[in-house]
Amino acid sequence: MSSNTKLKDTLRAAILAEPDAVLDDKDLMQALVSANEQARGDNVVDLRGIAMQRLEARLDRLEDTHRSVIAAAYENLAGTNQVHRAILRLLEPVDFEDFLNTLGNEVADILRVDHITLVLETTNTQEDPAIEKLGGVLTVVEPGAIDAYLSQDRGGPAREVVLRQMPNPSPRIFGAAASQFRSEACLRLNLGEGRLPGMIVMGARDANHFSPQLGTDLLSFFAGVFERSMRHWLS
């Protein structure tokens, strides 16, 4: 018996021992099908083979979709955990100054944004040393400025959450480092009956960090919790 025959016998025994391994190997099965088609010649049309190829293509697309769905689910879960952690940390401060400092520092770190500013409308927009002391976390604007800011570059009423890129970041919102930011998330705040609105602005240096294609549910939830905390502090 030649060495070539022994090799064939060895392969044959391995295949007979584990036939499922051959069936589960996509590349091996494709090679066997191709060899079978070559053996039949070019004059034979294998409708079954064509159907199998189409099914394989559909299966590949389904697998890609499945992976995309799983990845999106994990990303959404990670985002939910981030927002929950940020909210829990925001509920810990016992005075308003600590509350604002926590927003601008630890909460920004948890949410992985480069800057957070709380914007409040007021009829008195004169410079206040107490605001300067907060290091850019809080800024005040004239009545109507928030809706105007939210409605930039688009018509209609101001949306509750706006995600967009920033060609010209506002120094009023981001301070002296405004030129570093490329995208933002703006969250409108309802601070209660008889009070002017507020707004949280999250800034990112990455132009793709916030874009209109992203979901806003988690940011809306964060804004809802924050505005209720603000009503508590303002009362």
Side-chain angles (χ1 to χ4, degrees):
M1 186 178 291
S2 66
S3 60
N4 193 31
T5 304
K6 288 182 180 180
L7 178 62
K8 291 179 180 178
D9 289 343
T10 303
L11 287 174
R12 182 172 182 275
I15 293 172
L16 291 175
E18 295 186 77
D20 290 343
V22 177
L23 296 174
D24 292 337
D25 192 314
K26 181 179 177 181
D27 294 334
L28 182 56
M29 288 300 298
Q30 187 64 46
L32 292 174
V33 171
S34 298
N36 185 49
E37 291 175 351
Q38 291 174 3
R40 285 198 303 268
D42 297 333
N43 295 327
V44 179
V45 177
D46 183 8
L47 296 179
R48 183 175 179 275
I50 293 174
M52 289 298 294
Q53 289 177 355
R54 291 180 178 177
L55 287 174
E56 287 177 0
R58 289 182 62 186
L59 179 60
D60 289 341
R61 290 196 297 269
L62 287 173
E63 288 179 345
D64 290 340
T65 301
H66 177 71
R67 284 191 289 267
S68 298
V69 170
I70 294 298
Y74 275 112
E75 184 177 350
N76 186 63
L77 179 61
T80 301
N81 289 335
Q82 279 182 310
V83 170
H84 287 172
R85 286 171 52 214
I87 288 172
L88 289 175
R89 182 63 188 92
L90 202 58
L91 295 176
E92 293 179 6
V94 295
D95 63 72
F96 189 58
E97 184 176 341
D98 189 21
F99 174 77
L100 293 180
N101 284 324
T102 298
L103 173 68
N105 294 285
E106 294 174 59
V107 170
D109 291 340
I110 293 172
L111 296 178
R112 297 179 183 177
V113 296
D114 297 309
H115 185 83
I116 294 182
T117 301
L118 173 62
V119 183
L120 298 178
E121 289 189 358
T122 177
T123 55
N124 181 14
T125 57
Q126 295 181 354
E127 293 186 5
D128 188 335
I131 294 177
E132 295 294 330
K133 183 181 177 182
L134 292 170
V137 180
L138 174 65
T139 188
V140 295
V141 295
E142 62 278 3
I146 288 177
D147 283 348
Y149 189 82
L150 291 169
S151 301
Q152 284 180 3
D153 303 325
R154 62 179 300 273
R159 290 174 292 176
E160 298 301 310
V161 177
V162 175
L163 307 179
R164 62 192 176 193
Q165 295 180 336
M166 293 185 294
N168 298 301
S170 170
R172 185 75 175 272
I173 303 296
F174 296 104
S179 60
Q180 300 178 12
F181 300 102
R182 291 294 176 266
S183 63
E184 66 179 353
C186 308
L187 288 57
R188 193 179 190 279
L189 304 174
N190 178 0
L191 301 180
E193 187 176 354
R195 295 193 180 103
L196 294 171
M199 177 175 64
I200 293 175
V201 181
M202 301 179 182
R205 293 183 175 90
D206 181 1
N208 298 317
H209 193 88
F210 295 115
S211 67
Q213 292 77 27
L214 298 177
T216 60
D217 290 348
L218 290 175
L219 290 175
S220 296
F221 176 69
F222 179 83
V225 174
F226 186 88
E227 66 187 11
R228 285 162 176 79
S229 296
M230 279 296 296
R231 292 174 194 170
H232 166 72
W233 292 111
L234 294 175
S235 63

